[in-house]
Amino acid sequence: MGNEQIKELIQLAIGQLQAAYTPYSGFKVGAALLTTGGKIYTGCNIENAAYTPTNCAERTAFFKAVSEGERSFEAICVVGGQDGVLTGYAAPCGVCRQVMMEFCNPKQFQIILATSTEQYEIFTLEELLPRGFGPENLRFE
Ligand code: THU
């Protein structure tokens, strides 16, 4: 993943902040998910009056991609902040890390946390979810 690709993902994730549906928390999150084939799927958080049905931006992006037949992913950029103002990194919640674990190699999948195209840090899924439980644990041989 080159510099230009990283910046494109950050820009697309930031672009999703305006789509975030957050009448309850006001905390807006945007994501941009890169497949190994080079396609990008975006996502935003979608809240709900009953609270628990709320879907995070990362899962929106994953579920859009998987529902289109994608199964192989390289990286995701996540941005977020109160009222869409990016004052710090918005790291994926535990549930979203687990969804990533289902489809991604934890040693290879890259998670880009950003506040702008100039300010970002990249982590592997393994760094954010050490010793995660995934499909490999259910393979019996
Ligand atoms: N949120 C995300 O979209 N992604 C995360 O990984 C953390 C939390 C959303 C859910 C909710 O709409 C708002 O942020 C506050 O928790």
Side-chain angles (χ1 to χ4, degrees), residues 13-85:
I14 290 174
Q16 276 291 294
L17 294 171
Q18 46 87 28
Y21 176 73
T22 59
Y24 308 106
S25 76
F27 193 88
K28 295 184 180 294
V29 184
L33 175 64
L34 177 67
T35 71
T36 51
K39 280 185 74 176
I40 298 172
Y41 291 83
T42 58
C44 64
N45 54 334
I46 304 168
E47 297 187 346
N48 188 280
Y51 289 15
T52 53
T54 292
N55 209 55
C56 292
E58 300 91 317
R59 275 178 290 143
T60 302
F62 265 91
F63 296 159
K64 280 170 69 177
V66 171
S67 70
E68 296 295 323
E70 304 287 353
R71 293 291 187 273
S72 181
F73 303 99
E74 185 173 339
I76 191 168
C77 174
V78 187
V79 300
Q82 197 63 37
D83 302 318
V85 181

Side-chain angles (χ1 to χ4, degrees), residues 90-133:
C93 79
V95 171
C96 289
R97 294 177 202 204
Q98 186 63 35
V99 168
M100 294 172 195
M101 189 72 196
E102 186 65 28
F103 295 105
C104 308
N105 180 329
K107 291 189 188 303
Q108 289 170 1
F109 187 66
Q110 314 263 297
I111 299 165
I112 305 161
L113 303 183
T115 53
S116 73
T117 53
E118 310 306 316
Q119 180 60 50
Y120 61 86
E121 278 182 57
I122 305 180
F123 304 87
T124 63
L125 176 56
E126 188 177 51
E127 287 176 300
L128 298 192
L129 186 63
R131 294 178 177 271
F133 185 88

